[in-house]
Amino acid sequence: LEGLNALKKAGTFKKIIMIINSASMVGADFLHNNEKYGVDAALWVGALGQNGATAIAKILTGEYVPSGKLSDTFWMDHTMNPVNVNYGYWEYADAAKYGIESQKGNMFVPEPTLHAYAVYQEGMYLGYRYTETRYEDYVLGTAKVGDYDYSKVVAYPFGHGISYTDFEYSNFKVSKSGARTYNVSVTVKNTGKTYSGKETVQIYVSKPYGDYAKKNNIQVPSVELIEFGKTGVLAPGASETLTIPVDEKYFASYDAYGAGTYVIMPGDYYLTAATDAHNAVN
């Protein structure tokens, strides 16, 4: 990339567009270092499959206008990810003593004689639930959060995605129908002047973190994605009002130590339509 950037600065070509062909998230701090690497745009394409390259060509030439959003957080540095320590495998030091069988043939075990295990951990410390909750706690001055510079931790938030045009949200409303359905409506307008395009609207919930949650050690993320919808193709200046139904079951939190099941906790619940998880918090 440094070599390409030197050619760009010399006038050999004008732009560097990077295609990230990876099913996993990469540490994306380099995309923010424009002076050193000079990447003008990046397209994360995941694992392409049989026909993915055709779609990429149509996106790069402008025949298709991208409307996808990131399904994970892109970190500046993976060492800042608290669950990163669980990645990989660990060897049982006394496997034979407990009759643990060898993991021969395991793709993660380089030696056939090792007895290994892996850790699978989920919860509030995984992905955007951690980054956004700690950000909110830092902004609100919550005790024992420590220093936290969001811009140095997150390269691109969960749900991020840009298009060849711009969209504006307005007229946000929520109405309840029946016992447990909330109809979230928002008007989306294509404010660009050149390209038609679709917009993916993400619906997030913010749950109360009150006495019940604190007493029962319930993890309550700052925001959680609970639904989404997509507009049709909107021409420049055109609008569409999306109505997205949300089931009240997504308001529930798992109470592992108290009720031993999912509970709806007392307090205020907030719904928002947002372009990504960070925008939802703000």
Side-chain angles (χ1 to χ4, degrees):
L1 285 174
E2 288 183 64
L4 288 174
N5 196 25
L7 291 173
K8 187 177 80 167
K9 290 179 177 179
T12 305
F13 46 78
K14 294 181 180 180
K15 300 285 185 180
I16 296 175
I17 301 173
M18 185 173 188
I19 299 172
I20 303 175
N21 180 197
S22 170
S24 301
M25 303 300 107
V26 299
D29 57 329
F30 67 94
L31 292 175
H32 290 267
N33 194 334
N34 193 59
E35 179 59 31
K36 186 175 183 180
Y37 300 116
V39 177
D40 296 286
L43 182 66
W44 176 60
V45 300
L48 291 174
Q50 184 173 339
N51 297 312
T54 302
I56 291 173
K58 292 184 177 182
I59 288 173
L60 294 179
T61 59
E63 182 179 345
Y64 290 170
V65 175
S67 59
K69 307 289 183 175
L70 292 183
S71 56
D72 208 334
T73 300
F74 268 90
W75 298 75
M76 293 289 278
D77 182 350
H78 281 300
T79 61
M80 298 179 182
N81 185 344
V83 301
N84 194 51
V85 295
N86 296 323
Y87 182 78
Y89 73 93
W90 288 261
E91 180 185 358
Y92 286 105
D94 49 1
K97 177 180 176 182
Y98 294 101
I100 299 174
E101 297 182 0
S102 172
Q103 299 294 308
K104 291 181 180 179
N106 188 323
M107 63 180 291
F108 296 109
V109 183
E111 299 293 337
T113 56
L114 291 181
H115 303 267
Y117 66 94
V119 176
Y120 293 90
Q121 183 182 41
E122 297 184 14
M124 199 173 69
Y125 293 91
L126 179 67
Y128 78 91
R129 290 171 176 80
Y130 163 75
T131 60
E132 303 308 329
T133 303
R134 190 168 180 191
Y135 166 76
E136 182 187 52
D137 283 344
Y138 179 77
V139 170
L140 295 179
T142 305
K144 299 181 180 181
V145 174
D147 292 330
Y148 187 69
D149 187 339
Y150 186 91
S151 65
K152 293 181 179 179
V153 176
V154 178
Y156 300 98
F158 174 89
H160 172 80
I162 60 175
S163 174
Y164 294 151
T165 187
D166 296 307
F167 297 94
E168 179 182 84
Y169 294 7
S170 64
N171 199 28
F172 177 81
K173 296 179 181 178
V174 179
S175 61
K176 190 173 183 180
S177 62
R180 52 184 249 184
T181 299
Y182 295 83
N183 295 306
V184 181
S185 65
V186 61
T187 300
V188 181
K189 181 180 181 180
N190 182 350
T191 58
K193 297 181 179 180
T194 305
Y195 284 97
S196 299
K198 298 180 180 181
E199 170 68 347
T200 301
V201 177
Q202 304 161 45
I203 306 300
Y204 291 84
V205 66
S206 178
K207 304 173 185 177
Y209 184 58
D211 292 338
Y212 184 92
K214 296 174 183 177
K215 178 182 177 181
N216 292 282
N217 293 316
I218 298 176
Q219 295 184 352
V220 183
S222 176
V223 291
E224 290 183 89
L225 177 73
I226 54 174
E227 264 301 348
F228 64 91
K230 181 177 281 191
T231 68
V233 177
L234 299 178
S239 300
E240 179 183 343
T241 298
L242 281 179
T243 299
I244 303 171
V246 173
D247 193 320
E248 194 177 68
K249 70 179 182 180
Y250 295 118
F251 290 15
S253 299
Y254 193 72
D255 180 5
Y257 305 107
T261 186
Y262 285 93
V263 296
I264 299 287
M265 298 181 293
D268 295 327
Y269 290 76
Y270 295 91
L271 292 169
T272 186
T275 57
D276 57 59
H278 196 54
N279 179 250
V281 176
N282 284 325

